[in-house]
Amino acid sequence: MDASNRSDRLVAAAESGGGIVILAGAGMSAESGVPTFRGADGLWRNFRAEDLATPGAFARDPVLVWEWYEWRRGLVAECEPNAAHSAVTELENRVTGSFLLVTQNVDGLHRVAGTRNYREVHGCLWETRCLGCGDVVERRDHPLGELPPKCTCGGTLRPNVVWFGENLPEATLSSAFAAAGECDVMVVAGTSGVVYPIAHLPRIAKDAGGYVIEVNLERTPISTLADEVHLGPAGEVLPDLVGVTF
Ligand code: OAD
């Protein structure tokens, strides 16, 4: 354990009834083997996520977009939560005030790690949504078979994730913004901080008097407003922040 990464401010707030928000991005799952979006390993057949995760791409070529999601579902199916996910769950268990995890990740690994109060603001890789009847169904089976998969109503299914150019689910978004505006400490871990509206959350926390702690391999646009910046892998730094070993 690296004592220099311990955050007395975080531990004190957690244990004295403070409000804690964790904002997670793809870096949180990198050590589980899930590629990040903007890293060199984030490309799939030379496509960028921004070119595939759009309603237009799905309308043009649903099979191509589904093949990408099937690739990602297959990858994530082999992955397990890492020490960063465990540290978040441990923190939630210790918090005596309010706790919310806001994750941009669609891999569902925080659920597997046992975190209970979370908002998956970009949706979930393990759910489909029918373009016809709107039904959302959990689908853990992989591969899904003929693509694009069909609903029992005959409609085409899409991944239940938020694509570029789409709005985030209203209720999910408003609870994330409310928690950011009320928290004492926000930990921003493994996100490049460039995808809005979620990238606003650290600024909202800060402007409302919250203390912002960033964990990342490198500095990001969030680093300039953060009160503490811990550079290093989330799977090492997050347990250190909380003062636990896994
Ligand atoms: P990005 O791929 O943009 O950024 C990942 C961040 O994690 C980078 O800042 C890396 O430096 C950092 N990182 C990588 N490995 C790490 C590690 N082991 N420990 C700590 N940090 C590490 O991913 P996001 O910021 O999550 O949206 O991207 C935001 C959104 O853009 C995604 O949710 C997705 C994407 O397009 C949608 O699909 C709507």
Side-chain angles (χ1 to χ4, degrees):
M1 191 183 301
D2 180 353
S4 64
N5 278 324
R6 182 183 157 93
S7 175
D8 293 334
R9 185 69 182 256
L10 172 63
V11 172
E15 291 174 352
S16 65
I20 310 290
V21 171
I22 311 288
L23 172 57
M28 182 73 94
S29 296
E31 290 152 79
S32 294
V34 183
T36 60
F37 290 93
R38 291 172 183 78
D41 59 353
L43 292 176
W44 174 78
R45 295 194 206 159
N46 293 325
F47 289 101
R48 294 179 311 143
E50 287 90 333
D51 297 332
L52 292 166
T54 72
F58 192 72
R60 268 191 309 279
D61 196 342
V63 174
L64 175 74
V65 173
W66 260 116
E67 282 173 349
W68 180 53
Y69 278 97
E70 282 289 71
W71 171 72
R72 293 175 62 199
R73 286 163 55 92
L75 265 176
V76 173
E78 303 292 317
C79 297
E80 292 185 355
N82 66 62
H85 299 100
S86 302
V88 171
T89 304
E90 171 67 20
L91 182 63
E92 180 178 28
N93 290 339
R94 284 210 219 156
V95 163
T96 54
S98 67
F99 173 92
L100 183 66
L101 165 72
V102 178
T103 182
Q104 299 166 88
N105 300 343
V106 294
D107 54 38
L109 288 175
H110 281 288
R111 300 189 198 189
V112 180
T115 294
R116 297 176 302 281
N117 198 20
Y118 58 82
R119 298 288 181 277
E120 293 170 324
V121 288
H122 290 164
C124 179
L125 210 49
W126 303 109
E127 292 172 353
T128 58
R129 188 165 85 237
C130 178
L131 293 179
C133 68
D135 250 18
V136 172
V137 173
E138 183 169 333
R139 292 286 300 269
R140 289 264 167 192
D141 46 323
H142 175 81
L144 286 167
E146 194 182 337
L147 299 176
K150 297 285 183 193
C151 179
T152 47
C153 81
T156 298
L157 296 175
R158 60 165 280 178
N160 191 31
V161 297
V162 177
W163 286 333
F164 288 96
E166 293 185 319
N167 291 328
L168 276 64
E170 186 55 42
T172 307
L173 193 60
S174 56
S175 57
F177 272 71
E182 288 163 8
C183 71
D184 294 289
V185 178
M186 175 181 282
V187 179
V188 185
T191 178
S192 53
V194 297
V195 176
Y196 288 87
I198 292 306
H200 284 304
L201 293 181
R203 170 53 67 194
I204 287 170
K206 185 79 185 160
D207 287 350
Y211 187 84
V212 176
I213 301 172
E214 182 180 43
V215 177
N216 201 303
L217 290 180
E218 57 191 26
R219 289 182 68 85
T220 74
I222 293 158
S223 310
T224 47
L225 70 83
D227 297 286
E228 292 177 23
V229 178
H230 299 261
L231 296 181
E236 290 174 23
V237 176
L238 273 170
D240 289 348
L241 274 188
V242 188
V244 289
T245 313
F246 294 102

